[in-house]
Amino acid sequence: MAVNETNWAGNHAFAAAQIAYPATVAEVQELVMRNRKVKAVGARHSFNDIADSEETLISLAHFPETLAFDTQAHTVTVPAGMTYGRLCALLQEMDYAIHNMASLPHISVGGAVATATHGSGDANGNLATAVAGLALVTADGACVQLARGQQEPAFAGAVVGLGALGVVTHLTLDIRPTYNVQQAVYERLPLTQLFDHFDAIMGAAYSVSLFTDWQADWVNQLWLKRLVPEEGEIHSFAPEFHGAILAQTAMHPSGRSSPESCTSQLGEAGPWHERLPHFRVDHAPSMGNELQSEYFVARRHAVAALRTLADLRAELASVVLVSEVRTVAADDLWLSPAYEQDCVGFHFTLRNDWEAVRPVLPVIEAALAPFAPRPHWGKLFTMASEQVQARYPRLADFRALVAQLDPGGKFHNAYLAQIL
C-alpha cells in the first residue's frame, strides 16, 4: 500500500510504501541496508516522480540543524535536508552568505543541488556549483566522502546526481562574507528592446529575471537585483530602462496576485537572502496549485529562442500563468543543464491541469528543438529519453558511476529507468 502523500503541487502521488525520517547518518545507513529500494526525498517541490520509490522514501528533515564552518577554506557543511530559508538565516547570523538563491527559499539544499536548481545572473552558476564536497550513503551502507579537486572525475558526476548514487546526507558549500542587495521592478519592456539589447539587459544587475505571459509585444516585468557597494551611496534606479518603466508599487511576478509574499522591492537595500529569492521565506508563494516546466538553451541562442516562443502566443494563452527567463553561467558538472555552456532558462508556470498542459509541452519542445534544449530534471517535460540523453556528453560516464556505486539498482526508480 502506498503512502497517502503528494508532492507540493499535488500532481504526483508518491508510490512508496513508507516514508522514514532518520536523524543520524547511522540511521540512514541502516535504512539503506535494510530496504531493497530507497530514495531520498527533499521538500517535495519536484513536479515529476524523480524522488519517488516503490518501497521506502528517506527524508532528512529531522537531521539536527548543525553547521560546521571552515573559515580557512571558506566553506560550511550543512545537512542536506535543511531548507535554504533556514540555512541562509543561520549564515546571515554569522555574517556569511552564498552566491545565489533560487526563486523560492523553501526548497531543500540536497534536492536543489541534485537537480541543478538555479537563480539568475550572467556570472552566477546554479546552486550546485557552490558544492565543495558531499557525504553520500551508498547502496552497501558505506558513507563516501567526495570533495572538489580530490575525487575527480567522480565528484563532477556526483553533485547533480538525481538521487541515483545514494542518499546525500551532508553538503559542503562555498561561502562568502555577507552582502546587501537592492531590488527594483520595471514594467512593460518592449520585445524589440529585449531582442536588440539582450546582453545589456541581462547583464545590468547581479541577478536579472524577466516575467511574461507571452501575450503581448512586451515583457510584463523586469526584475533587477543589484549588489550594494560596501561603502558609498546605494544605487538609484532610473525611471526608465530600455523603454520599460520603473514600478512605483511592489509587484508579484504574475501581475495578478498580491505582492505580500514577495521579497522587498522599490530599491530598498537589504540582506542578500531577503532579496535574491523572489518570495519571502515566511510566506507561501502560492497554494501550489500549478505545474511547472523549464528548458535551458545555450546563451548564444537566447534571442532566437525568445523570438520563437513569442510566436507561440496562441498556443500558450490557455495554459501559461507566467513565464520566467533567467541566465545561468557554465559549469563542469556532468548532468547540469549548464554543463560547458552559459545558458538561458525558459521557465513556465502552468495551470494545474495536466490534460490541458500535456499537448502544449511538445509544442514548446518542438519550437526549441533547433536550440538543443535541456529540460529541468525536477519539472515536467515530454521529450523522448534519447533526446534528453543526447544533450549530455558525459551521460555514459554517469551511467558507469551509477553502476559502480549502486550496481543492484537500489536507488533506481521509474524516472531514472526512463532517463538513463
Side-chain angles (χ1 to χ4, degrees):
M1 181 180 296
V3 294
N4 187 27
E5 299 194 41
T6 71
N7 62 346
W8 178 78
N11 70 301
H12 174 71
F14 286 103
Q18 62 176 335
I19 300 180
Y21 292 88
T24 67
V25 173
E27 290 176 4
V28 173
Q29 292 173 298
E30 181 185 357
L31 284 164
V32 168
M33 290 186 289
R34 192 173 69 227
N35 288 278
R36 183 181 60 87
K37 291 283 188 178
V38 296
K39 198 74 173 177
V41 63
R44 309 184 193 188
H45 202 266
S46 293
F47 291 80
N48 54 40
D49 57 347
I50 187 173
D52 207 349
S53 172
E54 63 188 61
E55 188 172 330
T56 300
L57 297 178
I58 296 178
S59 168
L60 304 182
H62 290 182
F63 262 55
E65 293 184 335
T66 303
L67 305 186
F69 290 91
D70 185 331
T71 55
Q72 290 189 327
H74 304 292
T75 61
V76 62
T77 299
V78 309
M82 181 179 281
T83 66
Y84 276 95
R86 183 60 180 151
L87 167 63
C88 294
L90 293 173
L91 289 179
Q92 178 66 14
E93 289 178 4
M94 300 295 292
D95 291 328
Y96 287 117
I98 54 176
H99 79 291
N100 210 352
M101 294 182 69
S103 299
L104 306 178
H106 310 74
I107 57 179
S108 71
V109 178
V113 165
T115 56
T117 295
H118 61 100
S120 190
D122 284 358
N124 296 325
N126 63 45
L127 300 182
T129 61
V131 176
L134 58 87
L136 177 75
V137 175
T138 54
D140 59 359
C143 188
V144 175
Q145 304 283 336
L146 297 174
R148 182 194 295 144
Q150 296 180 19
Q151 284 85 18
E152 300 290 358
F155 174 81
V159 176
V160 182
L162 312 185
L165 304 174
V167 178
V168 175
T169 62
H170 291 82
L171 291 153
T172 300
L173 307 177
D174 296 327
I175 54 176
R176 55 186 284 185
T178 186
Y179 54 96
N180 288 335
V181 175
Q182 297 170 262
Q183 179 170 230
V185 177
Y186 286 84
E187 298 183 82
R188 293 197 173 192
L189 172 69
L191 288 180
T192 53
Q193 288 289 314
L194 180 61
F195 297 156
D196 292 344
H197 305 284
F198 181 82
D199 287 339
I201 290 169
M202 300 307 290
Y206 184 77
S207 173
V208 178
S209 291
L210 307 172
F211 291 98
T212 183
D213 57 5
W214 306 103
Q215 296 305 301
D217 294 327
W218 56 77
V219 168
N220 299 7
Q221 297 176 29
L222 165 66
W223 289 41
L224 299 181
K225 303 172 190 277
R226 290 179 176 168
L227 299 185
V228 176
E230 292 185 14
E231 298 179 1
E233 296 291 329
I234 63 173
H235 296 285
S236 60
F237 288 87
E240 184 176 340
F241 180 77
H242 288 278
I245 305 303
L246 183 65
Q248 300 301 310
T249 59
M251 306 287 291
H252 188 281
S254 69
R256 296 181 297 275
S257 300
S258 167
E260 182 181 5
S261 64
C262 297
T263 49
S264 295
Q265 303 164 26
L266 306 179
E268 179 185 3
W272 57 281
H273 68 300
E274 296 179 357
R275 297 295 183 276
L276 291 178
H278 301 326
F279 297 101
R280 294 171 52 178
V281 69
D282 57 348
H283 283 63
S286 72
M287 297 305 294
N289 189 26
E290 63 193 47
L291 302 177
Q292 293 184 14
S293 294
E294 186 170 22
Y295 304 91
F296 302 85
V297 305
R299 173 66 178 259
R300 65 184 181 276
H301 299 312
V303 172
L306 280 164
R307 291 181 183 275
T308 297
L309 291 172
D311 288 339
L312 297 181
R313 183 179 299 185
E315 291 87 345
L316 300 179
S318 63
V319 297
V320 174
L321 300 177
V322 67
S323 185
E324 182 178 10
V325 180
R326 289 174 284 182
T327 57
V328 185
D331 59 58
D332 63 353
L333 306 175
W334 293 356
L335 293 192
S336 166
Y339 178 73
E340 293 192 337
Q341 64 177 26
D342 292 334
C343 64
V344 177
F346 296 96
H347 180 276
F348 298 88
T349 299
L350 307 156
R351 285 173 48 202
N352 196 352
D353 181 350
W354 180 234
E355 292 308 309
V357 168
R358 189 203 321 248
V360 176
L361 294 187
V363 174
I364 296 172
E365 292 162 2
L368 293 177
F371 316 118
R374 296 171 175 174
H376 190 297
W377 295 114
K379 300 184 180 179
L380 298 171
F381 56 92
T382 62
M383 292 172 60
S385 58
E386 57 267 23
Q387 290 180 304
V388 178
Q389 292 165 10
R391 306 287 188 257
Y392 291 91
R394 301 299 297 271
L395 188 65
D397 295 321
F398 184 76
R399 287 198 190 104
L401 188 59
V402 173
Q404 174 189 339
L405 295 178
D406 184 21
K410 185 182 289 279
F411 303 106
H412 225 57
N413 61 8
Y415 177 96
L416 292 175
Q418 179 179 358
I419 294 301
L420 300 181

